Amino acid sequence: SQTIHQWPATLVQPVGSPLSLECTVEGTSNPNLYWYRQAAGRGLQLLFYSVGIGQISSEVPQNLSASRPQDRQFILSSKKLLLSDSGFYLCAWSVNRAHYTFGSGTRLTVV
Amino acid sequence: SQQGEEDPQALSIQEGENATMNCSYKTSINNLQWYRQNSGRGLVHLILIRSNEREKHSGRLRVTLDTSKKSSSLLITASRAADTASYFCATDGGGSEKLVFGKGTKLTVNP
């Protein structure tokens, strides 16, 4: 069956520290992969999406970057976290764009 | 930038009542999707309506789409306390690989 794994569930990091959030998908090949961020009480903001290995599209200029080293692996990174990077980060995948499946999210608090 | 805009931002009703949430968008779309998010969790896909469809049903859910007005509505009939969640519309535009979300409607169903 198709599943998506996202970890960790919660993370508290100091300002200026690096970040690496990982998302992996099982049970499908060549999915489109997405990173969204949700600020408290707000909607979802698309950060990055990828249609294939090594192909990353950035939606908003910011302190974050994404990489797709393998077909079913999507990584969100930062070299130096800012307070404004706090939020709820969601990974998602889609094969036919008719149905997006989301991970359970990572709540990041930068202190 | 955000594509969909839901209203109301928050809705509080009694169990058994119907809940109607609206979504407006700005550009042409291939399809429009509705998602549900329980507090602090990932999003769950509810229903998709294609641009050539006007109405769709799934259980207690009814979705309408008016492409001339660039708007959609989600109706939940005979609401239950378990329907308490945030509901988001999302649009998939032509030629784009991404799904763009609105800010959501927070629905509270009181027992």
Side-chain angles (χ1 to χ4, degrees):
Chain A
S1 63
Q2 299 152 340
T3 57
I4 180 168
H5 301 281
Q6 188 179 343
W7 67 93
T10 60
L11 190 59
V12 180
Q13 291 283 102
V15 168
S17 64
L19 173 74
S20 180
L21 300 180
E22 187 165 344
C23 172
T24 60
V25 178
E26 294 179 0
T28 186
S29 296
N30 198 31
N32 286 359
L33 296 172
Y34 305 84
W35 277 111
Y36 286 87
R37 177 171 61 198
Q38 185 177 32
R42 302 288 299 277
L44 279 76
Q45 180 185 35
L46 179 62
L47 302 176
F48 301 95
Y49 70 94
S50 171
V51 300
I53 296 174
Q55 300 178 61
I56 309 294
S57 295
S58 175
E59 286 298 298
V60 290
Q62 56 193 317
N63 187 39
L64 302 169
S65 62
S67 61
R68 184 170 178 175
Q70 300 179 44
D71 180 45
R72 288 172 282 182
Q73 183 184 30
F74 205 23
I75 299 171
L76 183 69
S77 303
S78 173
K79 292 182 179 178
K80 289 186 178 181
L81 283 168
L82 305 172
L83 287 173
S84 57
D85 292 324
S86 293
F88 191 49
Y89 289 82
L90 288 158
C91 179
W93 71 269
S94 176
V95 170
N96 57 11
R97 289 161 52 190
H99 187 144
Y100 287 63
T101 302
F102 283 81
S104 53
T106 295
R107 186 161 302 284
L108 171 66
T109 303
V110 182
V111 295
Chain B
S1 61
Q2 299 285 356
Q3 164 76 307
E5 291 286 341
E6 293 93 337
D7 76 270
Q9 292 186 353
L11 180 62
S12 182
I13 59 175
Q14 295 299 123
E15 220 169 13
E17 294 180 342
N18 295 341
T20 299
M21 289 160 273
N22 303 295
C23 169
S24 60
Y25 58 92
K26 297 177 182 176
T27 63
S28 61
I29 61 171
N30 283 334
N31 63 65
L32 185 144
Q33 305 176 32
W34 283 91
Y35 287 79
R36 166 195 168 123
Q37 182 183 34
N38 285 12
S39 180
R41 306 290 297 275
L43 277 74
V44 175
H45 181 267
L46 295 177
I47 197 166
L48 176 150
I49 187 165
R50 301 192 186 282
S51 59
N52 61 353
E53 297 176 310
R54 292 297 168 258
E55 188 171 312
K56 205 161 184 180
H57 298 255
S58 176
R60 293 184 295 114
L61 305 180
R62 172 177 169 254
V63 169
T64 62
L65 179 65
D66 187 335
T67 52
S68 67
K69 296 181 179 178
K70 291 186 168 58
S71 67
S72 173
S73 67
L74 171 67
L75 168 68
I76 303 175
T77 60
S79 63
R80 306 166 182 168
D83 294 327
T84 294
S86 291
Y87 292 83
F88 295 87
C89 70
T91 53
D92 182 336
S96 170
E97 297 292 339
K98 58 191 180 185
L99 196 64
V100 180
F101 285 81
K103 296 180 180 178
T105 292
K106 187 171 183 178
L107 173 66
T108 302
V109 181
N110 301 299

